[in-house]
Amino acid sequence: MKRGFHHRILHVLVPFPAVRSQSHGLRTKSSSRFSVRGRGHRHEDDDGGEDLEKQKPWDEEAGSRFKLHKSRGQHLLTNPRVLDSIVRRAHIRPDDTVLEIGPGTGNLTVRLLQSASKVIAVEIDHRMVDALCGRVSQLGLDDRLTVIKENALKTKLPPFDLCVANIPYGISSPLIAKLLFESRPPCFRSATLLLQKEFARRLLAVPGDSEFNRLAVNVGMVATVEFLMDVSKRDFVPCPKVDSTLVKIRPRAESPAVDLEEWLAFTRTCFSKRNKTLGAIFKQKKKVAELKERLSKSYVPQSIESQDDDADVDDDDDDDDDDDGLDVGEFKEKVIGILKAGGFEEKRPSKLCNEELLHLLQLFNQQGILFH
Ligand SMILES: C[S@@+](CC[C@H](N)C(=O)[O-])C[C@H]1O[C@@H](n2cnc3c(N)ncnc32)[C@H](O)[C@@H]1O
């Protein structure tokens, strides 16, 4: 079973009170301060030209005050210019259905509702859901918002055209994997996501960069990633320790010519030891034994949630050439022979582009060596 995707919990659709405004325009409330009880956070916004910009990101009158949990990534984006910029860069069409993961109190949601036909928001915290529903209801936009009160990683996502979100950074990797790999091919145009800056750098890394890693390799196989802008930590309440980067992920139009489960398992092996050559990686006794066993064993699916969770795993036996007890000597020679024939033995996976890695996988597969 794929870790994180096997619990299919029913959606809880949160109903809204039937409060409507006179029109679909956003109404501006009079409150002018952001305040979270217990934290003493106060945020004063820039004055904007439009109604929406004048509206404060969090309206005390619209909902109750509560403690924000850092463990759930509850850093609310409060700078209206940044919020507007995210919506602008998402290129939303009027008939689009937008998926938002982690709407929080709705700072981004109310803007998305202005541009899209429909917003589907997935939020784990019922206090946030209550605040969001109250706020959207007061604005008279509730008929276009559907809230799924669930863990975004554990719920089946409904169809959508665009994903636009300031996500909790703790779920970045499994969430991107879910968006891109859970339902193939993905049917959305793009995901405009605010990510932790360091994570975004790794996602944007190319072969040869020090940050180049399995996450970039796997995402790059099925999507392109574009840098949009950096966002200061000072634009959030409470202020996090890290800065952020907005990126746009676009699924590739054509599916890659490879079994993705096989590819994910292959890259898991290639990137299992940082800075090692492929020769050193494939000489490990355990790796050789695993591959040999897989020749005769049936397929065991791997998690695609933990895209990059094993980069530091050390087996402590990478230089071990002694095959006694495993009876894998001949098979190991075959594996090394394939690496040598392709000119890969001395190369490091972090320097190879996807085409080169794909070529190596094909060489293995042609010799009957499978990775899943
Ligand atoms: C960084 S805050 C963003 C809030 C809002 N979008 C904003 O920009 O002000 C992340 C939000 O995601 C919610 N969240 C955390 N983990 C989640 C999960 N696994 N599934 C859905 N929502 C989650 C948090 O409760 C929080 O409201």
mmCIF file of all heavy atoms in Angstrom, residues 72-77 83 100-108 122-125 128 150-153 166-168 171, ligand 1:
data_model
loop_
_atom_site.group_PDB
_atom_site.id
_atom_site.type_symbol
_atom_site.label_atom_id
_atom_site.label_comp_id
_atom_site.label_asym_id
_atom_site.label_seq_id
_atom_site.Cartn_x
_atom_site.Cartn_y
_atom_site.Cartn_z
ATOM 1 N N ARG A 72 1.299 22.670 13.173
ATOM 2 C CA ARG A 72 0.448 22.497 11.990
ATOM 3 C C ARG A 72 0.772 23.542 10.926
ATOM 4 O O ARG A 72 -0.014 23.780 10.008
ATOM 5 C CB ARG A 72 -1.022 22.611 12.377
ATOM 6 C CG ARG A 72 -1.509 21.370 13.105
ATOM 7 C CD ARG A 72 -2.983 21.177 12.897
ATOM 8 N NE ARG A 72 -3.376 19.824 13.212
ATOM 9 C CZ ARG A 72 -4.497 19.496 13.827
ATOM 10 N NH1 ARG A 72 -5.323 20.438 14.219
ATOM 11 N NH2 ARG A 72 -4.800 18.247 14.030
ATOM 12 N N GLY A 73 1.872 24.191 11.088
ATOM 13 C CA GLY A 73 2.299 25.167 10.087
ATOM 14 C C GLY A 73 1.383 26.378 10.025
ATOM 15 O O GLY A 73 1.227 26.996 8.972
ATOM 16 N N GLN A 74 0.802 26.733 11.169
ATOM 17 C CA GLN A 74 -0.189 27.816 11.146
ATOM 18 C C GLN A 74 0.473 29.192 11.209
ATOM 19 O O GLN A 74 0.407 29.895 12.226
ATOM 20 C CB GLN A 74 -1.216 27.597 12.256
ATOM 21 C CG GLN A 74 -2.096 26.396 11.952
ATOM 22 C CD GLN A 74 -3.086 26.043 13.039
ATOM 23 O OE1 GLN A 74 -2.979 26.515 14.165
ATOM 24 N NE2 GLN A 74 -4.058 25.209 12.707
ATOM 25 N N HIS A 75 1.115 29.537 10.124
ATOM 26 C CA HIS A 75 1.673 30.881 9.942
ATOM 27 C C HIS A 75 0.821 31.535 8.862
ATOM 28 O O HIS A 75 0.874 31.140 7.695
ATOM 29 C CB HIS A 75 3.139 30.806 9.521
ATOM 30 C CG HIS A 75 4.013 30.176 10.560
ATOM 31 N ND1 HIS A 75 4.542 30.879 11.616
ATOM 32 C CD2 HIS A 75 4.432 28.899 10.719
ATOM 33 C CE1 HIS A 75 5.254 30.072 12.385
ATOM 34 N NE2 HIS A 75 5.199 28.859 11.851
ATOM 35 N N LEU A 76 0.038 32.515 9.260
ATOM 36 C CA LEU A 76 -0.912 33.118 8.317
ATOM 37 C C LEU A 76 -0.227 34.201 7.499
ATOM 38 O O LEU A 76 0.496 35.043 8.037
ATOM 39 C CB LEU A 76 -2.108 33.699 9.078
ATOM 40 C CG LEU A 76 -2.808 32.730 10.044
ATOM 41 C CD1 LEU A 76 -3.995 33.406 10.716
ATOM 42 C CD2 LEU A 76 -3.253 31.462 9.321
ATOM 43 N N LEU A 77 -0.462 34.163 6.224
ATOM 44 C CA LEU A 77 0.111 35.172 5.331
ATOM 45 C C LEU A 77 -0.785 36.405 5.412
ATOM 46 O O LEU A 77 -1.978 36.335 5.113
ATOM 47 C CB LEU A 77 0.139 34.616 3.905
ATOM 48 C CG LEU A 77 0.725 35.505 2.818
ATOM 49 C CD1 LEU A 77 2.158 35.919 3.163
ATOM 50 C CD2 LEU A 77 0.708 34.768 1.488
ATOM 51 N N LEU A 83 -0.478 38.554 -1.028
ATOM 52 C CA LEU A 83 -1.661 37.718 -1.303
ATOM 53 C C LEU A 83 -2.210 38.017 -2.701
ATOM 54 O O LEU A 83 -2.517 37.109 -3.482
ATOM 55 C CB LEU A 83 -2.739 37.983 -0.245
ATOM 56 C CG LEU A 83 -2.436 37.398 1.145
ATOM 57 C CD1 LEU A 83 -3.214 38.122 2.233
ATOM 58 C CD2 LEU A 83 -2.733 35.904 1.178
ATOM 59 N N GLU A 100 -7.567 24.808 -2.732
ATOM 60 C CA GLU A 100 -6.647 25.436 -1.781
ATOM 61 C C GLU A 100 -6.418 24.470 -0.617
ATOM 62 O O GLU A 100 -7.378 24.002 0.009
ATOM 63 C CB GLU A 100 -7.216 26.766 -1.243
ATOM 64 C CG GLU A 100 -6.195 27.482 -0.369
ATOM 65 C CD GLU A 100 -6.742 28.722 0.333
ATOM 66 O OE1 GLU A 100 -7.957 28.981 0.270
ATOM 67 O OE2 GLU A 100 -5.932 29.416 0.984
ATOM 68 N N ILE A 101 -5.164 24.178 -0.359
ATOM 69 C CA ILE A 101 -4.820 23.309 0.773
ATOM 70 C C ILE A 101 -4.434 24.212 1.941
ATOM 71 O O ILE A 101 -3.549 25.043 1.822
ATOM 72 C CB ILE A 101 -3.623 22.382 0.429
ATOM 73 C CG1 ILE A 101 -3.888 21.585 -0.847
ATOM 74 C CG2 ILE A 101 -3.285 21.474 1.616
ATOM 75 C CD1 ILE A 101 -4.984 20.569 -0.762
ATOM 76 N N GLY A 102 -5.100 24.057 3.066
ATOM 77 C CA GLY A 102 -4.778 24.843 4.258
ATOM 78 C C GLY A 102 -5.202 26.292 4.121
ATOM 79 O O GLY A 102 -4.364 27.196 4.146
ATOM 80 N N PRO A 103 -6.502 26.559 4.008
ATOM 81 C CA PRO A 103 -6.967 27.945 3.837
ATOM 82 C C PRO A 103 -6.812 28.792 5.095
ATOM 83 O O PRO A 103 -6.828 30.014 5.018
ATOM 84 C CB PRO A 103 -8.454 27.771 3.498
ATOM 85 C CG PRO A 103 -8.837 26.467 4.142
ATOM 86 C CD PRO A 103 -7.616 25.588 4.017
ATOM 87 N N GLY A 104 -6.646 28.131 6.266
ATOM 88 C CA GLY A 104 -6.525 28.902 7.502
ATOM 89 C C GLY A 104 -7.775 29.751 7.702
ATOM 90 O O GLY A 104 -8.906 29.290 7.510
ATOM 91 N N THR A 105 -7.553 31.008 8.051
ATOM 92 C CA THR A 105 -8.685 31.898 8.310
ATOM 93 C C THR A 105 -9.206 32.558 7.035
ATOM 94 O O THR A 105 -10.100 33.396 7.095
ATOM 95 C CB THR A 105 -8.268 32.989 9.315
ATOM 96 O OG1 THR A 105 -7.091 33.626 8.800
ATOM 97 C CG2 THR A 105 -7.960 32.394 10.672
ATOM 98 N N GLY A 106 -8.615 32.213 5.894
ATOM 99 C CA GLY A 106 -9.199 32.637 4.621
ATOM 100 C C GLY A 106 -8.561 33.834 3.937
ATOM 101 O O GLY A 106 -9.137 34.394 3.004
ATOM 102 N N ASN A 107 -7.362 34.220 4.375
ATOM 103 C CA ASN A 107 -6.725 35.397 3.768
ATOM 104 C C ASN A 107 -6.554 35.267 2.255
ATOM 105 O O ASN A 107 -6.767 36.225 1.500
ATOM 106 C CB ASN A 107 -5.354 35.647 4.401
ATOM 107 C CG ASN A 107 -5.465 36.000 5.863
ATOM 108 O OD1 ASN A 107 -6.546 36.386 6.319
ATOM 109 N ND2 ASN A 107 -4.394 35.848 6.601
ATOM 110 N N LEU A 108 -6.159 34.066 1.833
ATOM 111 C CA LEU A 108 -6.006 33.821 0.396
ATOM 112 C C LEU A 108 -7.354 33.422 -0.216
ATOM 113 O O LEU A 108 -7.691 33.830 -1.335
ATOM 114 C CB LEU A 108 -4.965 32.706 0.194
ATOM 115 C CG LEU A 108 -4.537 32.361 -1.220
ATOM 116 C CD1 LEU A 108 -3.961 33.572 -1.944
ATOM 117 C CD2 LEU A 108 -3.496 31.240 -1.204
ATOM 118 N N VAL A 122 -9.292 22.592 1.601
ATOM 119 C CA VAL A 122 -9.100 21.430 2.480
ATOM 120 C C VAL A 122 -8.360 21.907 3.726
ATOM 121 O O VAL A 122 -7.216 22.360 3.632
ATOM 122 C CB VAL A 122 -8.296 20.318 1.778
ATOM 123 C CG1 VAL A 122 -8.236 19.073 2.665
ATOM 124 C CG2 VAL A 122 -8.904 19.974 0.422
ATOM 125 N N GLU A 123 -9.003 21.814 4.862
ATOM 126 C CA GLU A 123 -8.421 22.342 6.108
ATOM 127 C C GLU A 123 -8.621 21.325 7.226
ATOM 128 O O GLU A 123 -9.710 20.814 7.431
ATOM 129 C CB GLU A 123 -9.092 23.682 6.465
ATOM 130 C CG GLU A 123 -8.750 24.253 7.819
ATOM 131 C CD GLU A 123 -7.262 24.544 8.020
ATOM 132 O OE1 GLU A 123 -6.665 25.306 7.253
ATOM 133 O OE2 GLU A 123 -6.696 23.957 8.985
ATOM 134 N N ILE A 124 -7.543 21.087 7.972
ATOM 135 C CA ILE A 124 -7.554 20.042 9.006
ATOM 136 C C ILE A 124 -8.101 20.550 10.344
ATOM 137 O O ILE A 124 -8.601 19.771 11.147
ATOM 138 C CB ILE A 124 -6.110 19.489 9.186
ATOM 139 C CG1 ILE A 124 -6.120 18.121 9.852
ATOM 140 C CG2 ILE A 124 -5.231 20.461 9.946
ATOM 141 C CD1 ILE A 124 -4.763 17.416 9.786
ATOM 142 N N ASP A 125 -7.989 21.854 10.570
ATOM 143 C CA ASP A 125 -8.290 22.409 11.895
ATOM 144 C C ASP A 125 -9.710 22.987 11.907
ATOM 145 O O ASP A 125 -9.994 23.966 11.206
ATOM 146 C CB ASP A 125 -7.244 23.499 12.204
ATOM 147 C CG ASP A 125 -7.351 24.023 13.623
ATOM 148 O OD1 ASP A 125 -8.471 24.016 14.192
ATOM 149 O OD2 ASP A 125 -6.322 24.469 14.156
ATOM 150 N N MET A 128 -10.135 26.704 12.314
ATOM 151 C CA MET A 128 -9.892 27.462 11.079
ATOM 152 C C MET A 128 -11.120 27.382 10.174
ATOM 153 O O MET A 128 -11.517 28.374 9.555
ATOM 154 C CB MET A 128 -8.680 26.888 10.338
ATOM 155 C CG MET A 128 -7.374 27.058 11.047
ATOM 156 S SD MET A 128 -6.860 28.782 11.036
ATOM 157 C CE MET A 128 -5.221 28.658 11.731
ATOM 158 N N GLU A 150 -10.605 17.973 6.458
ATOM 159 C CA GLU A 150 -9.840 16.717 6.456
ATOM 160 C C GLU A 150 -8.346 17.016 6.432
ATOM 161 O O GLU A 150 -7.931 18.138 6.112
ATOM 162 C CB GLU A 150 -10.149 15.903 5.191
ATOM 163 C CG GLU A 150 -11.521 15.287 5.134
ATOM 164 C CD GLU A 150 -11.665 14.090 6.054
ATOM 165 O OE1 GLU A 150 -10.680 13.702 6.706
ATOM 166 O OE2 GLU A 150 -12.780 13.570 6.133
ATOM 167 N N ASN A 151 -7.574 15.987 6.704
ATOM 168 C CA ASN A 151 -6.135 16.017 6.450
ATOM 169 C C ASN A 151 -5.945 15.892 4.937
ATOM 170 O O ASN A 151 -6.355 14.891 4.337
ATOM 171 C CB ASN A 151 -5.478 14.843 7.188
ATOM 172 C CG ASN A 151 -3.978 14.810 6.997
ATOM 173 O OD1 ASN A 151 -3.447 15.368 6.038
ATOM 174 N ND2 ASN A 151 -3.298 14.147 7.904
ATOM 175 N N ALA A 152 -5.337 16.885 4.329
ATOM 176 C CA ALA A 152 -5.193 16.888 2.860
ATOM 177 C C ALA A 152 -4.431 15.676 2.345
ATOM 178 O O ALA A 152 -4.629 15.249 1.210
ATOM 179 C CB ALA A 152 -4.486 18.169 2.417
ATOM 180 N N LEU A 153 -3.563 15.117 3.168
ATOM 181 C CA LEU A 153 -2.772 13.962 2.715
ATOM 182 C C LEU A 153 -3.591 12.683 2.708
ATOM 183 O O LEU A 153 -3.239 11.724 2.042
ATOM 184 C CB LEU A 153 -1.544 13.765 3.618
ATOM 185 C CG LEU A 153 -0.514 14.882 3.613
ATOM 186 C CD1 LEU A 153 0.633 14.546 4.547
ATOM 187 C CD2 LEU A 153 -0.002 15.130 2.195
ATOM 188 N N ASN A 166 -1.002 28.529 0.204
ATOM 189 C CA ASN A 166 0.092 28.723 1.140
ATOM 190 C C ASN A 166 0.006 27.529 2.078
ATOM 191 O O ASN A 166 -0.756 27.542 3.034
ATOM 192 C CB ASN A 166 -0.101 30.045 1.895
ATOM 193 C CG ASN A 166 0.808 30.161 3.102
ATOM 194 O OD1 ASN A 166 1.878 29.550 3.148
ATOM 195 N ND2 ASN A 166 0.388 30.942 4.094
ATOM 196 N N ILE A 167 0.742 26.489 1.765
ATOM 197 C CA ILE A 167 0.539 25.209 2.442
ATOM 198 C C ILE A 167 1.327 25.144 3.756
ATOM 199 O O ILE A 167 2.287 25.899 3.943
ATOM 200 C CB ILE A 167 0.960 24.031 1.532
ATOM 201 C CG1 ILE A 167 2.467 24.071 1.239
ATOM 202 C CG2 ILE A 167 0.148 24.020 0.254
ATOM 203 C CD1 ILE A 167 2.978 22.836 0.528
ATOM 204 N N PRO A 168 0.925 24.222 4.644
ATOM 205 C CA PRO A 168 1.776 23.976 5.818
ATOM 206 C C PRO A 168 3.068 23.318 5.324
ATOM 207 O O PRO A 168 3.018 22.291 4.641
ATOM 208 C CB PRO A 168 0.934 23.005 6.669
ATOM 209 C CG PRO A 168 -0.071 22.412 5.741
ATOM 210 C CD PRO A 168 -0.284 23.382 4.621
ATOM 211 N N ILE A 171 4.156 19.442 5.221
ATOM 212 C CA ILE A 171 3.619 18.399 4.338
ATOM 213 C C ILE A 171 3.995 18.656 2.871
ATOM 214 O O ILE A 171 3.406 18.067 1.965
ATOM 215 C CB ILE A 171 2.081 18.240 4.488
ATOM 216 C CG1 ILE A 171 1.319 19.485 3.993
ATOM 217 C CG2 ILE A 171 1.705 17.920 5.927
ATOM 218 C CD1 ILE A 171 -0.187 19.250 3.844
HETATM 219 C C1 LIG B 1 0.587 28.187 6.516
HETATM 220 S S1 LIG B 1 -1.076 28.123 7.113
HETATM 221 C C2 LIG B 1 -1.818 28.959 5.771
HETATM 222 C C3 LIG B 1 -3.103 29.618 6.125
HETATM 223 C C4 LIG B 1 -3.647 30.519 5.021
HETATM 224 N N1 LIG B 1 -3.668 29.828 3.749
HETATM 225 C C5 LIG B 1 -2.863 31.789 4.918
HETATM 226 O O1 LIG B 1 -2.121 31.926 3.947
HETATM 227 O O2 LIG B 1 -2.985 32.647 5.779
HETATM 228 C C6 LIG B 1 -1.417 26.400 6.824
HETATM 229 C C7 LIG B 1 -2.841 25.925 7.107
HETATM 230 O O3 LIG B 1 -2.894 24.528 6.766
HETATM 231 C C8 LIG B 1 -3.624 23.832 7.780
HETATM 232 N N2 LIG B 1 -3.115 22.441 7.761
HETATM 233 C C9 LIG B 1 -2.038 21.927 8.403
HETATM 234 N N3 LIG B 1 -1.866 20.635 8.090
HETATM 235 C C10 LIG B 1 -2.866 20.310 7.227
HETATM 236 C C11 LIG B 1 -3.231 19.122 6.552
HETATM 237 N N4 LIG B 1 -2.522 17.995 6.696
HETATM 238 N N5 LIG B 1 -4.322 19.125 5.748
HETATM 239 C C12 LIG B 1 -5.044 20.270 5.594
HETATM 240 N N6 LIG B 1 -4.743 21.432 6.211
HETATM 241 C C13 LIG B 1 -3.667 21.463 7.019
HETATM 242 C C14 LIG B 1 -3.347 24.579 9.048
HETATM 243 O O4 LIG B 1 -4.344 24.347 10.014
HETATM 244 C C15 LIG B 1 -3.305 26.014 8.535
HETATM 245 O O5 LIG B 1 -4.589 26.574 8.555
#
